[in-house]
Amino acid sequence: IARQYEGERAALEESRARRDGAARELEALKAEARRIAETIEALAPRIAEYEPRAAAKDSAQAELDRAKRLKQLAEDYANEKRALDAHGLAAESARKALETADRDLEIAEAGIRDLEAESERAASAGTAADLARALEPGKPCPVCGSLEHPAPAARPALDRFDLDERLASARRGLERLQQEKKTRSEAWFKATERRSAAEETVERGIARYCLEAFGEEGCLRREEIPTPEESAESLREASERMQLAVTALSDAQRAMNEQRALSSRQAPLAEKTESLRALLAAAEKETAERETTVRHRMERYLEAFPPGTGDENAAPDPSDAEDALEKCEASILELDAKIEAHRKNSEALGKKKAALAAKAETLAAAAAELEAAIASSGKALAADCLAGGFPGPEAALAAVRPEAFVREAEGRIEAWKRALAETESVLARLETELALWKGPDPASVEEAAAALEAEIASRDAELEDANRLLAGQQGLETRWAALEAERKERSEEHLRYDRLNKDLNGSNPQNVPFDAWVLGRYLEEVTAYANLRLDRMSDGRYRIRVNDNYRTGNAKAGLELEILDAWTGRARPAGTLSGGETFMASISLALGLADSIQSRAGGIQLDAVFIDEGFGSLDEASLERAITILDEIRGTRTVGLISHVGELRNRIPNLIEVVKTATGSTIRQ
């Protein structure tokens, strides 16, 4: 029976193994099916976002176009504004020059009036001198009739002829100033006219550009036009939103592709699941039959042995009974030895317990004696504290000061005692001197008063000199303030030109030259347009990005492009692209450059684009996407393809074939 049981048991284990394997494989298939269903369900929200994201992408495109137009408007307005400001500065300069000419003319006229008055005075003085030369002693003066001539008039030092020359020169200067005033007045009038004309030009230009770029409803007022920096920032933000919208749309497209791939795997998985279920049912039936056989063999085995002679759950093996009996006898001997050791250990523990009880009684008596001594000491300590003026031991401990504090306090007391003794000594000396003093000497007081008056007079003279110097100093300070204001104004102007120079030659915080910055911004715009087509050609995998190394100011860094790979989530150099990928990126960049050029006001209209070879490196799907893009742009410009790829023959409506023959090549349309 045992040998039969062993054979049936082995067959049962094999059957169970097949059943368990089929069950595990079925569970794995079910888990795979659940995972696919869950993945499809998780992809549903992303797929549902396809239409909104496509609309968001179109909206972002419109916003990007508007930001470009607004940037162009801001730059044009800034240029016109600078020109208007220049005309305004010229008009203001002409006005100031006219005011200066007016002032110079007034000064010249005042000078001429002074010279004329001086000339009249000189003429009167000369007439009096001529009469004085004719006076004779004892004869009456022909003017006043006096016989005495105590102070006859003398001719002034300045000759009348000199005054006439000065007056003539001043009048000639006045004429020049009048002519200069007229010239400056005309210049101011012309500058004012130019400023007005420039302002009208700015208004008309802004209105015309707004109408062309935004329509009648979207036209902006002058105060609403942003600065070029603000418009550039708005364009950058619009470009970023455009890239985000394209990325989001690509994500939804990838979700749709992934859903289609997962759906195609569900049907084969369901067929395999049904096959495994049938196999599992057969394995379970076989396992149940073998379990019945094994249980029957076990029952026959138990019939051969009376109850209590063996383990009912053990596998049938009659030879194990004798081994089990020997194990039981050995176990009994081992347990007897343990019982004897436990008894001896209990006796030793009893003796130790008695010794510890006696020791505990001794320690309790000693503890009682210590408690009585502590209580007595506490009462004595409390009495000592009360006698020392403290309410308790805690207050006494709180009043204790460190030895260093006590020494410092004693030193301060000794210093105070010494200072008190010195003060008392000085007080006694002063009282003695006061008793002996009899008042001041009158003569010495008068001498001191006279000396003070002399010093006061000297101080007054010094004060007058100082006031004169102060008046001169104030005049110099006024002139210095005017010169300092002019210096600051020119310094600020110099700083502005210096900052502009540094920005242009690369000595700025980013160490980026102006030409590199401009080219970088243009290249970023071109890549934004290029990514619109490369995203579709590469099925959302690739995007072109300008490497930021040129922004770090590295002299060896140029304007390089790198590729963002959505499959790896990382950027890599453009040189790592394959031939077909490079061709798709090249087409996208060429079309992006054309879109960028044409988007600018007054830009060149590109009516044709030619692509020479490159299609042979594309697979079938990539070729189809590339041709679709070229078909779309064929509505606005002529597209010429030069290729040896035969698949293009059916897609190109107008062909020019070059046929080679032994006598030369011919062209066939």
Side-chain angles (χ1 to χ4, degrees), residues 28 58 112 158 182 215 300 371 412 493 518 587 595 611:
D58 295 338
I112 289 175
L158 181 62
K182 182 180 178 181
R300 290 193 61 195
E371 288 177 355
R412 289 199 300 270
E493 183 178 5
V518 171
I587 292 180
D595 292 341
I611 302 175

Side-chain angles (χ1 to χ4, degrees), residues 5 80 140 149 192 200 394 403 409 436 446 451 464 509 539 593 634:
Y5 176 84
E80 295 293 341
H149 313 293
T192 304
E200 292 177 1
E394 293 78 4
E403 184 178 355
L436 297 176
E446 291 178 356
E464 290 179 359
D539 197 15
L593 179 59
R634 192 159 55 90

